[in-house]
Amino acid sequence: MIIDTPLMSQYKEIKKQNKDNILFFRLGDFYEMFFEDAVIVSKELGLTLTSRNREKGVPMAGIPYHSATGYIGKLVAKGYKVAICEQVEDPKSTKGIVKREVVRVITPGTIIDTEFLDEKNNNYLMGIVMKKSVIGIAYVDITTGEAIASEIEKTDDYIYRLLGEINKVFPREILVDTDFYEVVKGELQQFTQLNEITVNPYNRLKNSEKFLEEYFKVISLESFNMKGKEASIEATAIILDYTIALQKGHEIPIERVKFLENKSIMELNLTTQRNLDIIATNKEKGIVGTLEWVLDSCNTSMGSRLLKRYLKNPSTCRDEIIKRQNDVEFFYSDVLKREEIREHLKNIYDVERILGKLILGTENGKDLLALKDSIRSGIEIEQILNKDSIFKIDTEILTEIYRLIDSSISPEAPFSIREGGIIKAGYSEELDELNDISKNGKNTILEIENRERERTGIKGLKIKFNKVFGYFIEITKANINLVPADYIRKQTLANAERYIVEDLKIYEEKILHAKEKIESLEYMLFKQISEEIKKYRDSLSKLAYEIAYIDLMSNLAHIAIKNSYVKPEILEFGEDIEIVGGRHPIVEELVGRDNFIKNSVILDRDKNFIILTGPNMAGKSTYMKQIALILIMAQMGSYIPAEYARIGMVDKVFTRVGANDDLVTGQSTFMLEMSEVANIVNSATKNSFIILDEIGRGTSTFDGISIATAITEYIHDKLEAKTLFATHYHELTQLEMKLSRAINFRIEVKEEGKEIIFLREIVRGGADKSYGIEVARLAGLPKQILIRAEEILRILENRKMIIEKNVKKEQLILFGELPEELKKENKKVVEKSNELEGKERIALRVIKELELDRMTPMDAFLKLNEIKRILN
């Protein structure tokens, strides 16, 4: 039987409490992993797998503690949880095994080392709870202290809305209450695995409301507008409980929770977010080609994060939108002030995350210096804008913080807070004395030596040092009679005596332990300074928000001028949408503004349903998406790419664009299309804006036209929402005569012989041709296919002409039996078609029988001529 060493017994006991975590076990200057943990990290991090001498056969892998942050970041990015087990006793003063404890557990949603996070993105932990007919959602960013809660109704298509909310927030980790987890496990896992989001079940707290009241130290959650909102209260409670448990007693920077009323923001479902490329959600694809990419020239990471928040949550509060517009206009109209402020913003660091580090206790000297510089720039901005209410901060308190850091923290402070060099000279007398001793110790020893020679008259008196006795005075036997009474004998040698004196012993103590004391004292002083700064967290939090807001507003003004955007007039719900000379903000950035064709739109009470026809590649999707993006930009408070605009606010934007099978859920193109349309017609209101592109093309022509027609009629008659419907079915243009608010538009196309030119202009009226073969030619299909397609098209057009000769156009339907006389003419066309197909089959057989490698060029020419005769 193998008996564990005391160290291994300690390890196993701690690991037992952290079964689901990779345990980073501190041994001196290393973190060691054992058993299965060692195997995992060696594989994931490329570490060498070895074993300890005293525990042979036990897999082990280790990393230096000072470089552990990078390894932890990589493991957490792969979805692992890491438990940090530290030595909580000084090994020098401990007999036997050193006491160790897990001091923090790090998960994907609770990373606190900000160097491994994207500075322009939040790192959210989300909680989801289902309560009766309501789903509560809450999410926090432990690095910034942001906490938000909301609720959605549990409708028939609630999973679609829930995935939309998750996609909007894009958390790194999700906790779902255990009961609800079993219900949504399948759908959630498909979505989260694809997006590399960790999902775990979590038990609800027994009394969530009381827990939150105690945590936030409030009498009632009414102060957060959450009273009675049980689902969101429980969702907030589980993520706070989880975070607190993982921080193992460390304070967390979450001081308040903001309840987000869904009615105050524009709803953008999952499909809409993806179709419109609002923000980057795919790491591999990156930010290029998104609205975020176009609009983000912010100078601070806080401004960039606020921009994303606005993009994902356009406002439906007219007063709020107009306030933002006015603030953008302030910087738009004053170029000198705007550029001066944007220069100052470049000197500001991430105050939000520095404050988070202060509260979490992970700050260092560099962080405080960055905070000092940010405060100075913030105060300078406030002085530039002193007559304007757009930027208000607690200048007096911030000045105090600035002076404290300036007087205490060395400009060359290192990243480590345990190795000294942080505190500025002159801040602490005791520290200055220790530093003086450490730097000038030898000089002081010489001074004592010279002093004692003069006092005793012993010219050969020397002060020496060894590891056993430390510093001592050595006097030869010949001079013993001159030794003062206050000398204390320490050692007798053959030819000399060794003594110590009180002040030498005191100084020795100081010299020998100066470095250790300096490091300990500096750490203590640094933490005292941090605690003092933390008292003003409210002022620092306000500074962070004000900087983010002014950065975003000045950025939007900068973008508006750079890209020739205009300020839209914001109207109430249900009012007209009129955009003159509108442009697609992303496409024009990619192709160049000079190459982009402007288009206008009017959706008013009389005509609010546009049926848009025209060939593929002509610009239908671009036109429709640009209107949706302009609405989003307008309602987030930005200027827009247009010459003039009046925007009646919308509560929701829906898009159904493209036709791709969903490989994750196994849905076919048509099933996916119908599911998304169902979500639209079940969720839209008369104040919504809807884009439908090629509805019904995933099934047969007759089915497609029938469904497209029925959907058009339902949206027009029942929902009355502002809608753009792009279609290839020219039959739908006839709906303009039947539906009072429907109106036909088409993409203008210019024909030059067999060539077509897409003018990309939207004009009144419906298209009468699809130009499908011409588009295929532009796409590069082989000539043989194009020729055959033209032949088949002529056959089908002949059939249509025969029908139209004998039946009035208004009676043209695609269903039911043809009259007898038409059947005879149609039969002739079909027979002619079959005859053509028969000749082609003969030609194809001849081609298949060719043995090209045995043919001379002349043989090939003759055979080709024979095939031509067959076809002609």
Side-chain angles (χ1 to χ4, degrees), residues 120-132:
K120 293 190 174 186
N121 286 302
N122 286 96
N123 193 72
Y124 287 121
L125 167 70
M126 177 179 275
I128 300 171
V129 170
M130 200 275 285
K131 192 82 173 175
K132 297 176 183 176

Side-chain angles (χ1 to χ4, degrees), residues 79-91:
Y80 293 102
K81 298 178 181 179
V82 177
I84 309 299
C85 181
E86 294 285 3
Q87 297 171 171
V88 293
E89 289 181 333
D90 184 354

Side-chain angles (χ1 to χ4, degrees), residues 458-596:
I458 303 172
K459 292 183 179 179
L461 181 148
K462 289 183 180 179
I463 294 179
K464 296 184 176 181
F465 175 84
N466 67 32
K467 291 183 179 179
V468 178
F469 295 107
Y471 286 98
F472 52 84
I473 298 171
E474 187 171 286
I475 300 174
T476 59
K477 290 281 179 84
N479 294 307
I480 289 176
N481 60 318
L482 298 175
V483 172
D486 61 334
Y487 274 36
I488 303 168
R489 182 182 284 109
K490 197 70 179 173
Q491 188 183 20
T492 300
L493 302 177
N495 299 316
E497 295 284 347
R498 289 176 174 174
Y499 300 90
I500 59 170
V501 291
E502 190 62 32
D503 58 348
L504 179 61
K505 205 64 191 169
I506 292 170
Y507 209 79
E508 175 196 34
E509 187 73 19
K510 288 182 178 180
I511 292 171
L512 293 179
H513 299 289
K515 186 175 186 301
E516 185 181 325
K517 286 184 174 179
I518 286 169
E519 290 173 359
S520 177
L521 181 57
E522 284 210 27
Y523 177 77
M524 183 189 74
L525 291 170
F526 178 75
K527 283 299 181 182
Q528 285 177 355
I529 294 162
S530 294
E531 286 298 319
E532 187 65 25
I533 294 170
K534 277 166 61 176
K535 293 178 183 176
Y536 306 111
R537 61 174 69 176
D538 286 345
S539 295
L540 289 172
S541 182
K542 183 179 180 184
L543 172 67
Y545 175 77
E546 292 289 326
I547 288 169
Y549 185 78
I550 200 171
D551 186 20
L552 177 53
M553 295 300 109
S554 60
N555 165 71
L556 290 177
H558 166 76
I559 293 294
I561 291 172
K562 172 176 168 277
N563 294 346
S564 298
Y565 292 171
V566 300
K567 178 182 176 182
E569 182 184 352
I570 303 298
L571 309 176
E572 297 289 350
F573 285 116
E575 296 289 328
D576 300 349
I577 293 176
E578 181 182 358
I579 301 169
V580 177
R583 313 184 311 270
H584 193 297
I586 303 169
V587 174
E588 77 163 356
E589 195 74 12
L590 292 169
V591 305
R593 199 179 315 145
D594 293 340
N595 298 320
F596 191 89

Side-chain angles (χ1 to χ4, degrees), residues 571 574-578 602-605 646-648 722:
L571 309 176
E575 296 289 328
D576 300 349
I577 293 176
E578 181 182 358
I602 296 177
L603 294 166
D604 55 27
R605 291 182 179 84
R646 296 168 66 246
I647 306 291
K722 295 180 175 70

Side-chain angles (χ1 to χ4, degrees), residues 235-362:
T236 306
I238 65 172
I239 52 176
L240 276 181
D241 181 62
Y242 180 74
T243 305
I244 292 166
L246 296 185
Q247 293 306 309
K248 304 292 181 182
H250 293 90
E251 191 178 359
I252 60 175
I254 299 162
E255 297 181 313
R256 61 186 63 84
V257 58
K258 179 181 179 181
F259 186 80
L260 205 60
E261 291 279 4
N262 285 324
K263 63 183 180 182
S264 67
I265 59 173
M266 180 195 290
E267 183 181 318
L268 303 170
N269 67 19
L270 178 61
T271 307
T272 300
Q273 293 171 48
R274 290 178 172 174
N275 284 339
L276 296 180
D277 293 314
I278 299 169
I279 60 170
T281 55
N282 188 323
K283 291 180 184 177
E284 295 177 2
K285 182 181 176 184
I287 191 175
V288 176
T290 64
L291 187 56
E292 175 190 1
W293 167 65
V294 174
L295 296 182
D296 190 3
S297 286
C298 292
N299 286 307
T300 71
S301 50
M302 296 176 290
S304 292
R305 292 198 296 267
L306 186 62
L307 169 64
K308 289 186 76 168
R309 211 173 304 159
Y310 281 13
L311 279 170
K312 293 184 289 186
N313 300 285
S315 180
T316 55
C317 175
R318 185 167 177 266
D319 290 343
E320 176 62 26
I321 296 169
I322 291 172
K323 179 191 179 302
R324 293 177 189 175
Q325 281 188 331
N326 292 339
D327 291 339
V328 173
E329 187 176 30
F330 173 84
F331 291 109
Y332 184 94
S333 58
D334 194 332
V335 61
L336 294 177
K337 196 167 283 188
R338 181 184 72 248
E339 292 309 312
E340 186 179 4
I341 283 169
R342 282 176 62 78
E343 279 300 312
H344 279 82
L345 286 166
K346 291 177 182 177
N347 301 318
I348 292 178
Y349 296 83
D350 197 334
V351 177
E352 213 170 26
R353 281 188 166 155
I354 292 172
L355 179 56
K357 292 174 79 172
L358 273 163
I359 296 168
L360 287 162
T362 59

